[in-house]
Amino acid sequence: MASLLQVRDLKTYFFTDDGVVKAVDGISYDVQPGEIVGLVGESGCGKTVSALAILRLIPDPPGKIVGGEIIFEGDDLLKASEEEIRHVRGNRIAMIFQEPMTSLNPVLTIGRQITESLELHLKMDRRSANKRAIELMGMVGIPEAKARISDYPHQFSGGMRQRVMIAMALSCNPKLLLADEPTTALDVTIQAQILELLTRLTRELGTAVVIITHNLGVVARYADRVNVMYAGKIVESAVARELYGNPHHPYTLGLLKSVPRLDKARKEKLEPIEGFPPDLIHMPQGCAFRPRCKFAVAKCQEEPPLLQVASKHYSACWEWPRVGQAAGSAAPA
């Protein structure tokens, strides 16, 4: 099956007075039609920047996409004109932004914000667009949609605003949805409702999804494949079940060990990852995770490539066999 999206050696840098911030530094991954791919990592590792680069939304200056390819349905989006990329945004590729209250326009009604893309991309008249907006609001579980279409964002709760964002994103039946921390600032119960809704709707519509999150529980439940990012690079990539059951990068292992688990003894302490993420202007020599890594050896002063460690499983670590052994000994019986 041909990939829907192919990201190849993507590099996005920010040129500041203090130096060059290599926010995304040569990442590559594929997304298949109808697939859910998780992009996981700490804050500041480049997850959101990589998604914004796909839609060419990097603020210039100071940001610039300095290299790579973004092939979507056979077309390189980095070579598209501004007019062409405008027809891609919100139409063929949609994005759910991180914070709905700041992403929605406070002076426009909810209905107007949904109908705008319907009129622009699908050429609907105002009456047809309003009818479709009400259907979309009902589809995402907003009660009394016909009455609430004239409300403003501040009249909706956080969970309802997130549902509006999903309705807007899915309004033109996109082939790819970029969901950037879609449940940030929501309580646990609402998070589950939003994620179940998002997964169900995208499965029904056949939409591929890239879920960007720091929440390992989200990708464990919903993602088909997972890419783990650290300091602007993908350091491990695998099918979700394989990644969780058999991690082969010390950063992935550290993330898993720092999360509470129901199959562990209640008195067992969590193991935080020591240290801090690196300064992206002054990166350490070799592996970026080396200063925080318990498995580091002399060879780690050379930067490791993504090595295939199993079928469809890749890790950027010279010591991946030792990491795999440590992960196996820590796994529940």
Side-chain angles (χ1 to χ4, degrees), residues 34 42 55 78 120 143 173 196 213-214 233 248 262 286 305-306 328:
E42 292 170 294
L55 289 174
L78 297 184
L120 175 65
N173 298 322
E196 291 289 349
T213 182
H214 61 269
K233 297 180 182 291
H248 277 80
L262 295 177
L306 266 178

Side-chain angles (χ1 to χ4, degrees), residues 234-247:
I234 291 177
V235 295
E236 187 162 13
S237 176
V239 174
R241 184 180 294 274
E242 168 72 10
L243 185 97
Y244 277 77
N246 194 24

Side-chain angles (χ1 to χ4, degrees), residues 167-187:
M168 291 173 61
L170 297 177
S171 60
C172 296
N173 298 322
K175 297 290 185 67
L176 176 65
L177 179 64
L178 306 174
D180 184 11
E181 299 278 8
T183 57
T184 297
L186 300 179
D187 63 65

Side-chain angles (χ1 to χ4, degrees), residues 53-304:
I54 292 173
L55 289 174
R56 300 244 307 262
L57 291 175
I58 301 298
D60 182 8
K64 189 175 289 293
I65 301 172
V66 299
E69 295 178 322
I70 301 172
I71 310 298
F72 178 70
E73 293 188 316
D75 299 322
D76 189 347
L77 299 183
L78 297 184
K79 295 180 180 178
S81 66
E82 282 299 321
E83 180 68 21
E84 289 169 335
I85 201 67
R86 277 198 295 269
H87 287 291
V88 172
R89 295 183 193 127
N91 185 20
R92 295 164 61 195
I93 304 177
M95 186 165 183
I96 300 174
F97 293 93
Q98 191 167 135
E99 176 47 62
M101 194 59 201
T102 56
S103 300
L104 293 169
N105 191 324
V107 300
L108 294 180
T109 65
I110 292 298
R112 182 60 193 132
Q113 296 188 60
I114 298 176
T115 58
E116 186 176 21
S117 60
L118 294 170
E119 294 174 17
L120 175 65
H121 296 300
L122 301 186
K123 308 302 180 185
M124 287 186 176
D125 58 46
R126 180 62 62 89
R127 178 176 294 180
S128 298
N130 271 328
K131 183 179 178 181
R132 178 58 177 158
I134 292 170
E135 291 174 356
L136 287 163
M137 290 173 68
M139 187 172 69
V140 299
I142 296 175
E144 301 179 358
K146 190 172 182 179
R148 304 216 64 184
I149 194 170
S150 299
D151 286 350
Y152 290 85
H154 72 271
Q155 295 174 279
F156 283 70
S157 67
M160 287 299 167
R161 285 194 292 266
Q162 196 63 278
R163 290 171 189 266
V164 170
M165 294 293 293
I166 294 173
M168 291 173 61
L170 297 177
S171 60
C172 296
N173 298 322
K175 297 290 185 67
L176 176 65
L177 179 64
L178 306 174
D180 184 11
E181 299 278 8
T183 57
T184 297
L186 300 179
D187 63 65
V188 176
T189 304
I190 302 301
Q191 282 185 22
Q193 292 177 6
I194 294 296
L195 289 166
E196 291 289 349
L197 170 67
L198 180 61
T199 305
R200 177 176 60 81
L201 292 176
T202 53
R203 294 295 193 198
E204 290 175 358
L205 299 171
T207 304
V209 185
V210 176
I211 295 183
I212 300 165
T213 182
H214 61 269
N215 189 330
L216 291 169
V218 169
V219 292
R221 182 175 176 84
Y222 300 102
D224 300 310
R225 288 189 300 118
V226 182
N227 296 316
V228 180
M229 283 192 70
Y230 186 78
K233 297 180 182 291
I234 291 177
V235 295
E236 187 162 13
S237 176
V239 174
R241 184 180 294 274
E242 168 72 10
L243 185 97
Y244 277 77
N246 194 24
H248 277 80
H249 193 280
Y251 179 58
T252 309
L253 181 60
L255 289 177
L256 292 173
K257 285 190 172 185
S258 63
V259 175
R261 290 175 53 161
L262 295 177
D263 56 7
K264 295 287 188 178
R266 291 183 63 182
K267 293 183 179 180
E268 188 169 328
K269 292 185 178 180
L270 299 178
E271 297 182 31
I273 301 175
E274 301 293 339
F276 299 93
D279 180 348
L280 296 181
I281 297 178
H282 305 290
M283 293 287 287
Q285 181 181 348
C287 174
F289 190 63
R290 178 173 57 86
R292 308 172 70 186
C293 183
K294 298 177 181 179
F295 298 88
V297 294
K299 189 172 178 61
C300 297
Q301 295 187 42
E302 301 174 24
E303 185 176 342

